[in-house]
Amino acid sequence: MAWLVTKYLITAGVVVLISEIAKRSDRLGGFIGALPIVTFLALIWLHLEKQPESKVANHAWYTLWYVIPTLPMFAAFPSLQARIGFWPTMLASVLITVACFGLFALLVRRFGIELL
């Protein structure tokens, strides 16, 4: 149980740190937020928990494919927020991401990559 609490605290601390940096610098906050910090933490946790190398490698592999369909959301967010506000933009971002992911999963299935 202590290990789980430690993982929560470190992971939450990283997210809070990034948001605090973003308050002071949009560019630096965006840069740090774009780094695969959460993925690195997940890979570290999997490794420290003695998961098989294949599980750790698969996590990195699928993360690559899951990141790509999220990119349109980041492009749409600034213009949507200016027009419809923050919370509707968050909902639209989720819908955009889900739609892009579904279309992307169908596309890469043709190349033998199963995401769903």
Side-chain angles (χ1 to χ4, degrees):
M1 185 63 156
W3 175 242
L4 185 60
V5 171
T6 301
K7 286 178 12 180
Y8 275 123
L9 291 175
I10 291 171
T11 305
V14 167
V15 172
V16 170
L17 178 64
I18 292 169
S19 71
E20 291 299 312
I21 291 169
K23 285 183 196 177
R24 290 160 183 76
S25 171
D26 296 335
R27 288 186 181 125
L28 184 58
F31 173 71
I32 294 171
L35 295 172
I37 295 170
V38 172
T39 300
F40 283 158
L41 285 173
L43 293 171
I44 290 167
W45 301 148
L46 289 168
H47 174 75
L48 292 176
E49 293 168 351
K50 309 231 185 297
Q51 293 297 310
E53 285 184 19
S54 61
K55 174 140 323 263
V56 178
N58 280 340
H59 181 77
W61 170 255
Y62 284 111
T63 299
L64 164 71
W65 294 108
Y66 293 145
V67 163
I68 295 168
T70 68
L71 297 177
M73 179 275 299
F74 290 108
F77 193 96
S79 64
L80 287 175
Q81 185 181 12
R83 284 191 268 150
I84 63 175
F86 180 78
W87 293 112
T89 297
M90 291 296 286
L91 176 60
S93 295
V94 169
L95 297 174
I96 289 168
T97 301
V98 169
C100 288
F101 179 77
L103 293 170
F104 187 72
L106 291 173
L107 174 71
V108 298
R109 178 179 288 160
R110 295 180 180 189
F111 300 98
I113 300 169
E114 289 292 329
L115 299 179
L116 295 175

